[in-house]
Amino acid sequence: MRVAELTSAIKKLLESEVPLLWVRGEISNLVKAASGHWYFALKDDQAQVRCVMFRHKNQFLSAPVANGSQVEVLAVATLYEQRGDFQLTVEQMRPAGLGVLYERFAQLKLKLEAEGLFDPARKRPLPQYPKRIGIVTSPQAAALRDVLTTLRSRLPGVPVVLYPTAVQGTGSAEQIAAAVRTANQRAECDVLIVCRGGGSIEDLWAFNEEVVARAIAASDIPVVSGVGHETDFTIADFVADERAPTPTAAAQRVVPDRHALMRGLRDIAQHLRRAQRNRLQNAMQTADYLQRRLVHPAQQLQRQTQQLDQLHQRLQRAYAYRRQHQHWQWQSLAQRLQAASGDFVRLQDRQANLAQRLTRAMHNTQQRHASRLENIAQHLVYLDPKQVFARGYSMVQDANGRVVSDAATLAAGDELRVTFAKGWAKAEVKETGGK
């Protein structure tokens, strides 16, 4: 068997029998070739193995890699046939310990989710117009400047209370939880922002601690979590009442945009002006209609007099027509009487009787109509304002000609016009009283 055949067989055996696996160790003898490929050794205190990571794999790494870095690599065990060297072909690389952190993250997430801390039903709505906003973060954090700048630009004048705390490092989780509890004890804010800027999973780990999650869940104040960048998710995001992708976005969630509010107010004001204008126009039209219907007593009396004259003329015409009609009937009867020569006397007596009845009926009808006409005329006399004035009454009008019927509408110094049965006079109000 040739050497090439041996190394090829060993390579196939390694790649088929040893699965893709994570290996942890320290980087040494790192060489970054001009081609972009990396060559290094991965070692611990007892052994080492050669490794290669090609350019199309290492170009996606975000964390810096150098000699002495503790890393975990996902690699394929293989054999470099030209030299017969055993090596690992690296597919992925991450700082050592991330696997443990991811496992802790997943376990805590499952635990809290089972307890119902992520349940949307327990999430509370944020106040639409908060009176005071609390911020839990580091005073030196860039996230604080971003939040304050956003709050000032969207709704300036809203008071802000800072609950300072470390957001990274040993003991930071306990400090964050304590700051959330302090904000609830003081109860001076309507909404609470828990935030910090982006970073690695280790930098953000304080927001994955159980003590922080439970403090947020127990908060009586609605909490908005704005930790890291859009792609970063922490346990605090799941527990908070609302998750914002960045600190700036968290500030945008808790306060409305003043420009949008101003536009809304302008629209409402325009609507109110339009409604007020329409209501005023309707009232003016109603007043004009009522004014047209309002008739002066003199005009009403004149119209009723005209109606009475018309009725009198119709009565006279009806009386003349009836008299003429009865005359025609009398002539017809006379002709019929004359034609009935055989019983002339009887017919003559009947004619006389009918004539008397006709005369009485005409007289009674005339008297009845005359009496009705006299009653109507007497009624009109009673309605005549001049008759009322003749009994000592008068009509009082203000400077605009409106009739005054209530002393409460007058004030001292108002000029009045008083109309009597004969003539009129101007007067000035000295004092008013009575109800």
Side-chain angles (χ1 to χ4, degrees), residues 130-137 143-153 155-164 186 188-193 195 251 254-255:
K131 298 179 181 179
R132 185 177 285 105
I133 300 170
I135 303 176
V136 175
T137 191
L144 177 60
R145 294 191 295 271
D146 296 339
V147 169
L148 293 178
T149 300
T150 303
L151 293 177
R152 282 195 297 267
S153 65
L155 198 64
V158 178
V160 175
V161 179
L162 175 63
Y163 300 96
R186 290 163 60 174
E188 55 192 352
C189 301
D190 302 315
V191 64
L192 200 60
I193 298 176
C195 64
V254 299
V255 293

Side-chain angles (χ1 to χ4, degrees), residues 7 19 55 126-127 155 165 191 198 223 232 242 312 331 358 390 392 404:
T7 56
R55 181 180 62 183
L126 304 182
L155 198 64
T165 176
V191 64
V223 177
D232 296 323
E242 187 164 338
H312 182 67
Q331 287 182 345
L358 177 61
V404 178

Side-chain angles (χ1 to χ4, degrees), residues 40-351:
F40 57 92
L42 192 64
K43 66 177 184 178
D44 57 20
D45 56 352
Q46 296 180 354
Q48 67 176 7
V49 62
R50 292 181 179 275
C51 301
V52 59
M53 190 173 191
F54 296 108
R55 181 180 62 183
H56 67 280
K57 298 293 184 180
N58 63 46
Q59 65 181 347
F60 297 108
L61 296 181
S62 58
V65 177
N67 287 323
S69 298
Q70 295 288 333
V71 297
E72 294 176 348
V73 298
L74 181 64
V76 176
T78 185
L79 189 74
Y80 184 51
E81 298 178 61
Q82 286 76 2
R83 295 183 181 176
D85 291 338
F86 170 72
Q87 68 176 22
L88 298 178
T89 301
V90 178
E91 299 291 327
Q92 297 180 29
M93 180 185 296
R94 67 191 183 194
L98 286 188
V100 177
L101 292 180
Y102 283 126
E103 184 177 354
R104 287 176 56 191
F105 176 89
Q107 290 177 351
L108 181 59
K109 184 173 180 294
L110 289 174
K111 175 183 177 182
L112 299 181
E113 186 174 12
E115 294 181 16
L117 268 63
F118 303 163
D119 188 357
R122 61 169 295 275
K123 308 284 185 177
R124 292 161 299 181
L126 304 182
Q128 187 174 7
Y129 302 104
K131 298 179 181 179
R132 185 177 285 105
I133 300 170
I135 303 176
V136 175
T137 191
S138 171
Q140 290 78 32
L144 177 60
R145 294 191 295 271
D146 296 339
V147 169
L148 293 178
T149 300
T150 303
L151 293 177
R152 282 195 297 267
S153 65
R154 290 178 64 85
L155 198 64
V158 178
V160 175
V161 179
L162 175 63
Y163 300 96
T165 176
V167 293
Q168 181 178 343
T170 304
S172 57
E174 288 73 14
Q175 294 185 38
I176 295 171
V180 173
R181 289 192 292 268
T182 299
N184 279 269
Q185 291 171 359
R186 290 163 60 174
E188 55 192 352
C189 301
D190 302 315
V191 64
L192 200 60
I193 298 176
V194 178
C195 64
R196 68 147 289 160
S200 65
I201 187 173
E202 294 96 335
D203 296 336
L204 305 179
W205 190 253
F207 297 90
N208 289 320
E209 293 288 355
E210 183 174 358
V211 63
V212 174
R214 295 199 179 277
I216 293 176
S219 174
D220 294 326
I221 304 174
V223 177
V224 178
S225 173
V227 179
H229 300 301
E230 294 186 9
T231 57
D232 296 323
F233 282 88
T234 64
I235 297 296
D237 293 330
F238 295 108
V239 180
D241 294 287
E242 187 164 338
R243 182 250 178 188
T246 62
T248 299
Q252 294 172 348
R253 298 286 178 85
V254 299
V255 293
D257 185 5
R258 59 171 175 168
H259 300 293
L261 293 177
M262 293 301 297
R263 287 193 298 269
L265 288 175
R266 286 194 294 269
D267 293 341
I268 294 174
Q270 183 178 3
H271 176 74
L272 289 176
R273 286 194 295 269
R274 189 184 303 113
Q276 185 179 16
R277 183 172 60 252
N278 294 337
R279 186 171 182 180
L280 180 61
Q281 291 175 353
N282 293 336
M284 293 171 61
Q285 292 179 358
T286 303
D288 292 340
Y289 171 73
L290 294 176
Q291 184 178 8
R292 289 193 299 269
R293 293 187 59 188
L294 184 63
V295 181
H296 194 275
Q299 294 178 349
Q300 187 175 5
L301 179 62
Q302 182 180 4
R303 184 170 64 248
Q304 291 179 347
T305 303
Q306 292 176 354
Q307 292 177 352
L308 182 60
D309 292 339
Q310 293 175 358
L311 291 174
H312 182 67
Q313 293 175 3
R314 289 176 60 188
L315 180 61
Q316 288 179 339
R317 287 195 300 269
Y319 176 75
Y321 172 78
R322 184 175 180 85
R323 186 173 183 180
Q324 182 67 30
H325 180 70
Q326 290 177 347
H327 179 69
W328 289 341
Q329 287 182 338
W330 179 81
Q331 287 182 345
S332 176
L333 291 174
Q335 291 175 0
R336 290 174 61 187
L337 180 62
Q338 187 177 3
S341 57
D343 197 8
F344 181 77
V345 176
R346 185 177 60 82
L347 293 176
Q348 189 174 21
D349 292 338
R350 184 180 179 187
Q351 180 182 3

